[in-house]
Amino acid sequence: AITKITARQILDSRGIPTVEVDLCTNKGMYRASAPSGTAIGMYEAVELRDGDKGKFLGKGVSKAVKLINEKISETLIGMDPTLQSQIDQAMIDLDKTENKTELGANAILAVSIAACKAGAAEKEEIMILPIGANNFTEAVQMGSETYHHLKSIISEKYGSTGCNVGDDGGFAPNISSFSEGLDLVKEAIDRAGYNGRIKLAMDVAATDLCIGRKYDLDSKAPNKSGQNFKNGEEMIEMFTKLCSGYPIVSIEQPFDKDDWEHSKLFSALGICQVVGDDLLMSNPKRIGRAIQESACNALLLKINQIGTVTEAIEVVKQAKDAHWGVVISHRSGETDNPFLADLAVGLTTGQIKAGAPCRGERVAKYNQLLRIEEELGGQAVYAGENWRLP
Ligand code: PGA
Ligand code: ZN
């Protein structure tokens, strides 16, 4: 849910004030600002400017900032950030005018974009594993082609705004179920001609769905009827069904971070790789407990959760000694540093997740792997079918 909205006045590229918004949800903070033009058409939405000639030649936006901090924020706090059209409609209703003269299009747009970013960050994530490739170079080609077919499919079905990408480079169309998302990716794999050679994985990030002892699978639905709340057993049933209907080979964080019990029950079924993200927090103690209790069977390694390279290597060893899989993982906030690629090869993890083949900071890791494969030449081994235990 949206927990806080704060606006401020910043400068646009011409040195003229514009509106910037920080929108917070339980997941984090999302920032956006409004652009502005010189030519102003008669029918376009109206920018709210202070008109106080003593400040910024009348171009200040402190009124718009105040409206966001008070009226808009009051209306939107508590709303689900994935419900873009309802958030936008709430602001349009609050404005009540045809051209957005009351609140200002600059105020409304900045909030609207920030909510869009926040909403994209809430979506579950579907990944592909090109394990049928003969080498990494071919795997990148398969991933990239599938990604672009997915873009066309989403554009056809949800319009071009469905192709806006989130932090990890993934698309975030307005889907309402796991199977709706999985169908899209499956169709993209078919169109790219890689049926059978590409498998699927999901990051459920279920800690974010957990309310009490239940999981809210309708976190995007307008009227929360509570109808789509599932308990742990029902979640296990759902994952089992999804794994039989789709070529899913790995599920990350299928339950809450402290729901050891259901993670154990699900892992015991042996249907797919069960990856611990916030269950483990890359923490040796939690990993130790999970190994002991067989609460999952793969480590998601986020190196900044542990803090040094030495300790990162130690937990990878700990996981490997237990015959677990290891996924080297990016964070939603990344830099263009490609180190994770070197780490994945150096530690022979066989698995890395660095996001979609889009956005510089994601692509930096894949490009580094291309270089490493080239440098290793005949000695390079692509994990392929042996991805779990390379
Ligand atoms: P993060 O999670 O947003 O905590 O970096 C990323 C992920 O699990 O894919
Ligand atoms: Zn995760």
Side-chain angles (χ1 to χ4, degrees):
I2 297 173
T3 54
K4 195 173 158 201
I5 301 176
T6 328
R8 69 180 64 82
Q9 178 171 294
I10 59 165
L11 296 181
D12 72 14
S13 54
R14 306 167 301 182
I16 295 173
T18 190
V19 180
E20 178 174 83
V21 169
D22 291 352
L23 184 146
C24 298
T25 68
N26 317 59
K27 271 213 116 176
M29 191 268 279
Y30 304 87
R31 177 169 290 164
S33 50
S36 167
T38 309
I40 308 273
M42 267 208 349
Y43 304 103
E44 74 178 53
V46 175
E47 259 177 0
L48 190 66
R49 299 247 173 226
D50 296 344
D52 171 358
K53 293 279 181 227
K55 281 187 185 155
F56 288 103
L57 306 146
K59 301 256 187 198
V61 291
S62 63
K63 280 185 194 159
V65 165
K66 191 158 182 271
L67 283 166
I68 294 172
N69 288 338
E70 292 169 6
K71 273 193 162 174
I72 293 181
S73 139
E74 209 171 89
T75 308
L76 301 189
I77 281 176
M79 283 185 80
D80 181 336
T82 61
L83 303 176
Q84 184 80 41
S85 60
Q86 290 185 36
I87 289 171
D88 292 347
Q89 195 58 51
M91 290 192 284
I92 291 167
D93 292 347
L94 192 65
D95 177 81
K96 294 194 195 76
T97 68
E98 198 155 319
N99 290 346
K100 307 197 168 54
T101 26
E102 193 63 34
L103 297 175
N106 42 357
I108 293 177
L109 180 64
V111 175
S112 181
I113 297 172
C116 180
K117 284 189 171 178
E122 298 272 326
K123 314 268 168 164
E124 301 88 7
E125 186 182 277
I126 298 168
M127 291 161 281
I128 61 169
L129 289 78
I131 62 172
N134 294 304
N135 49 50
F136 185 76
T137 305
E138 191 186 357
V140 163
Q141 184 189 332
M142 290 164 72
S144 162
E145 288 172 8
T146 304
Y147 182 75
H148 288 105
H149 280 290
L150 181 63
K151 186 172 180 171
S152 317
I153 292 164
I154 290 174
S155 175
E156 285 159 26
K157 295 195 172 153
Y158 302 84
S160 57
T161 54
C163 299
N164 291 346
V165 302
D167 284 343
D168 300 349
F171 303 119
N174 201 9
I175 56 169
S176 50
S177 66
F178 289 118
S179 50
E180 192 178 342
L182 289 162
D183 283 334
L184 293 171
V185 179
K186 216 172 143 234
E187 192 179 336
I189 293 170
D190 280 345
R191 276 203 205 175
Y194 294 124
N195 202 347
R197 294 177 67 199
I198 294 183
K199 304 288 180 194
L200 301 180
M202 295 162 57
D203 179 4
V204 182
T207 305
D208 299 333
L209 309 178
C210 189
I211 300 172
R213 303 216 5 110
K214 296 229 167 180
Y215 295 91
D216 179 7
L217 294 182
D218 248 355
S219 61
K220 294 169 214 93
N223 306 307
K224 276 189 198 175
S225 53
Q227 276 171 3
N228 219 353
F229 277 33
K230 287 195 192 300
N231 62 28
E233 277 75 42
E234 290 163 336
M235 291 287 275
I236 292 177
E237 223 171 88
M238 178 186 71
F239 293 133
T240 307
K241 246 198 209 140
L242 286 174
C243 286
S244 68
Y246 299 91
I248 297 169
V249 294
S250 178
I251 301 184
E252 177 181 329
Q253 204 56 45
F255 307 95
D256 178 63
K257 66 177 189 330
D258 296 314
D259 191 348
W260 295 80
E261 180 199 339
H262 291 104
S263 201
K264 239 187 294 193
L265 288 171
F266 182 55
S267 300
L269 297 178
I271 300 172
C272 66
Q273 175 176 259
V274 180
V275 184
D277 180 353
D278 16 359
L279 180 79
L280 305 174
M281 300 173 193
S282 307
N283 176 296
K285 286 207 188 103
R286 289 183 75 102
I287 296 168
R289 176 177 170 191
I291 290 172
Q292 197 115 55
E293 298 185 16
S294 303
C296 63
N297 50 48
L299 162 68
L300 188 84
L301 179 68
K302 292 172 162 170
I303 52 174
N304 69 316
Q305 283 184 333
I306 182 152
T308 64
V309 173
T310 305
E311 289 161 290
I313 293 171
E314 272 161 19
V315 291
V316 167
K317 231 183 136 260
Q318 190 184 3
K320 284 191 167 198
D321 286 346
H323 305 288
W324 275 22
V326 177
V327 186
I328 299 288
S329 173
H330 64 169
R331 303 306 309 262
S332 43
E334 268 296 324
T335 71
D336 56 4
N337 189 325
F339 178 71
L340 292 183
D342 300 276
L343 194 68
V345 177
L347 298 180
T348 324
T349 62
Q351 300 181 67
I352 181 171
K353 72 163 196 174
C358 168
R359 293 180 59 126
E361 73 283 2
R362 314 291 145 188
V363 167
K365 281 69 168 171
Y366 300 126
N367 287 344
Q368 179 78 344
L369 286 165
L370 289 174
R371 287 182 212 108
I372 294 172
E373 185 167 75
E374 182 192 67
E375 191 182 322
L376 290 176
Q379 283 175 294
V381 180
Y382 178 66
E385 302 281 346
N386 300 322
W387 56 280
R388 272 182 89 167
L389 295 171

